[in-house]
Amino acid sequence: MTLTPTDPAAAGGLPPTEGVLHETVLPAPGSGGRRPPFLRIEWVDDETGAVGYLVIDTLVHGMATGGTRMRAGCTVDEVADLARGMSNKTAAFDLPVGGAKGGIDFDPKDPRAVDVLTRYCEAMRPFLDNHWVTAEDLGVSQERIDTVFARLGMRQSYHAAIERSPDPRATADRVFAGLNAYAPGGRLGDVVGGYGVAQAALAAAGVRGWAVPETTIAVQGAGTMGGGAAFYLHEAGARVVALADAAGTLYDPDGLDVPGLLDARDEYGEIDRTAVPSRVMRLPREAVLATACDILVPAAVSYAITGAGCGDVRARIVVEAANAPTTADAELDLTARGIAVIPDFIANAGAVAWAWWLLLGQVGEDYRDSFDRLRTRMDAKVSSLLTGWTPSAGPIRWAADVSARSRSAEPLVVP
């Protein structure tokens, strides 16, 4: 395991866990203005050769939060980009925690995947015990990561925060109840992120004055985030005309039966084609990005929209549900064409915001409280960014940048 501290404070170890505010780091000379992450770790699995990474981008009160992904080809640069995005998400929603991300270069469908994830988490145990709150991400379901935590004798993947509570067992029970509470569309902990993305899209449509039933949507990805976004957009009355999974794009200009398609998914978010009505067109996987629609929701892999392919995008607004789905050059090109891109650290931040609201006791088992709070916050943020925006002002991401925002130095208290 290689541990690379990229901040002077890291050379002497992580700071104490209580009452520490570590967030603003000056850019390193020659970095082009981008500050380095707080800490990077590389891990190699002795049994499979899989390589894993942990990047802690910022610490606030000695804590950072961010999911753990698993995919073949995952790189440390990808994980660092995602960790930086997590810092932006937590700052944008005024959460008392910094940003981090875990990633493993390994096929999540491999039968050895759970054991690889277990060994990775065991290696990261000092951080998971005290500094890093993780959760599901691409290739790693919440159920899978909680299974691994149980194997290692930890209460849940929010372990580091839960252990700060005066009564960790009671807090763990409260968090578990919230995660597993009923919500339309599924388990609250699974669908709340997609609900937030749907509200971001609906807020954008509202700013443009589009009637919801006439608003057309294309969603890339039918997993937790993409499936949830498609479900709640469909429930709101919008017309989801395209939905893509790893096997291809399903397209119907009259609108897809989203609940029916989601019911036909397997554990990897792939839709059983035998359950797809004959009227639905079956197109190549990449076709979803070129769908003529009002709003495109990339909710699958990072860097899906690149400079080479962004000319095919025909949506009027892109709402980023995946982490870093649009490369910087593609975003500039889309902006120049008048296509608004609602950045990921706003649009898909609902899951992390809700998780910390749950940890801090601000929401509970009633999904209506969580949905009301998230809808209000997302509508306000997206509306303020999009209202009056013009392409000449540059990407919306620039106006939304919160990287320099400071947060309260009051101690983090988990009830």
Side-chain angles (χ1 to χ4, degrees), residues 210-222:
W210 301 338
V212 172
E214 298 171 8
T215 301
T216 53
I217 314 283
V219 180
Q220 181 202 36

Side-chain angles (χ1 to χ4, degrees), residues 252-265:
D252 185 344
D254 294 326
L256 296 165
D257 174 16
V258 172
L261 294 177
L262 297 182
D263 285 345
R265 290 178 298 178

Side-chain angles (χ1 to χ4, degrees), residues 198-208 375 378-383 386:
Q199 295 311 309
L202 293 170
V207 171
R208 291 293 174 86
R375 180 178 61 251
M378 194 65 74
D379 182 78
K381 291 182 182 299
V382 172
S383 296
L386 193 55

Side-chain angles (χ1 to χ4, degrees), residues 141-161:
S141 67
Q142 188 63 42
E143 181 181 8
R144 175 170 286 190
I145 202 163
D146 282 342
T147 296
V148 166
F149 270 64
R151 281 186 178 185
L152 298 176
M154 293 184 280
R155 300 177 197 276
Q156 201 267 342
S157 75
Y158 301 171
H159 173 81

